[in-house]
Amino acid sequence: MPSQHPEEVGYGHVVEGYVTRMYGGLPRYLVLNGGRFLGPRWWHTTRFTRHMIADAAAINDEELEALLGYEWRSRLTAGWLIGVDRRERFRARIGDLLLACEVCYSGGAYCFALARCGTHADAEILTAYLDRYLPCTDLHYDQPAALGALLRLDTLLGTRHADRFIQPDGLWDEWVKGVGRLGYPRHTPAEQRRWTDLQCEFANGWSRS
């Protein structure tokens, strides 16, 4: 999926309007990526969340497509906007992008969006991602975010998709050992579930839905 600047499709305004808007000296995409807005002490949380709710409702599908067709900052922001507004019609698009793993950082936003949409179809995408990338024990992509989202959906849907990944000495344990040898932290399923819950419950408060 080649990258295309939004200007090339007549939506040059979307990067400045949605991606690089500043909060406390930081552009929106960095605030989203770092999760700073989830902490109780960040002074800009109220303004930041108010703007996220408004922008998630106001952005049209063509503008979102323009963001999804560009680089990681734009794709990350689009994933969050899709998730906040629960735009399920983008499920297949973000699923394709997640599985392609073309750029860094944005995959976590796709997992958030799938967790927010909260259906069996979203769980199937996350399961397919983990089936493809957990066996790659030398690749640290978005496996933690995908597992956290899948665990949340299993609870919401009454399913057990994640069980076979997190059984002792299963795919998750082998992946953690592999990337641990490369210097990455030892993620636990419980930690990843808590992080997804924190994101989604915070977004539930933003959108009241």
Side-chain angles (χ1 to χ4, degrees):
M1 300 178 190
S3 174
Q4 185 176 50
H5 196 289
E7 288 180 351
E8 298 177 43
V9 290
Y11 291 98
H13 63 282
V14 294
V15 174
E16 183 176 353
Y18 296 110
V19 181
T20 59
R21 191 169 189 173
M22 302 296 289
Y23 299 89
L26 294 172
R28 174 182 277 169
Y29 71 87
L30 278 183
V31 177
L32 289 169
N33 193 46
R36 168 179 308 243
F37 57 92
L38 298 170
R41 298 183 180 179
W42 193 49
W43 291 359
H44 307 279
T45 293
T46 299
R47 175 172 167 262
F48 179 83
T49 54
R50 186 173 66 245
H51 289 172
M52 279 294 294
I53 294 169
D55 286 349
I59 190 169
N60 63 45
D61 288 357
E62 291 77 19
E63 290 171 322
L64 281 169
E65 278 292 352
L67 290 176
L68 290 172
Y70 193 31
E71 40 75 275
W72 72 267
R73 300 165 188 84
S74 297
R75 294 183 186 189
L76 181 153
T77 306
W80 273 90
L81 293 168
I82 289 166
V84 169
D85 203 50
R86 284 195 172 114
R87 296 206 192 183
E88 293 190 33
R89 56 191 172 274
F90 279 92
R91 176 182 292 112
R93 179 76 165 107
I94 62 175
D96 288 345
L97 289 170
L98 177 65
L99 288 166
C101 277
E102 293 179 317
V103 295
C104 59
Y105 303 119
S106 58
Y110 306 148
C111 293
F112 161 75
L114 294 170
R116 279 277 290 166
C117 289
T119 71
H120 291 282
D122 302 293
E124 288 172 4
I125 293 170
L126 293 163
T127 300
Y129 177 86
L130 291 169
D131 274 329
R132 180 178 298 184
Y133 288 105
L134 277 182
C136 303
T137 56
D138 60 340
L139 298 178
H140 189 283
Y141 287 169
D142 298 293
Q143 293 93 331
L147 181 67
L150 186 59
L151 286 166
R152 178 178 174 85
L153 290 186
D154 273 347
T155 299
L156 294 175
L157 299 170
T159 52
R160 305 180 69 92
H161 296 292
D163 283 4
R164 63 187 175 86
F165 298 122
I166 61 175
Q167 62 185 343
D169 299 318
L171 282 173
W172 180 259
D173 284 349
E174 290 303 311
W175 178 79
V176 168
K177 285 185 217 173
V179 297
R181 288 191 286 270
L182 301 176
Y184 290 99
R186 297 183 65 85
H187 306 280
T188 69
E191 289 170 344
Q192 297 312 130
R193 166 67 195 275
R194 281 196 296 271
W195 181 244
T196 303
D197 284 344
L198 183 62
Q199 293 175 324
C200 290
E201 295 306 322
F202 201 84
N204 288 344
W206 291 356
S207 57
R208 296 181 173 83
S209 63

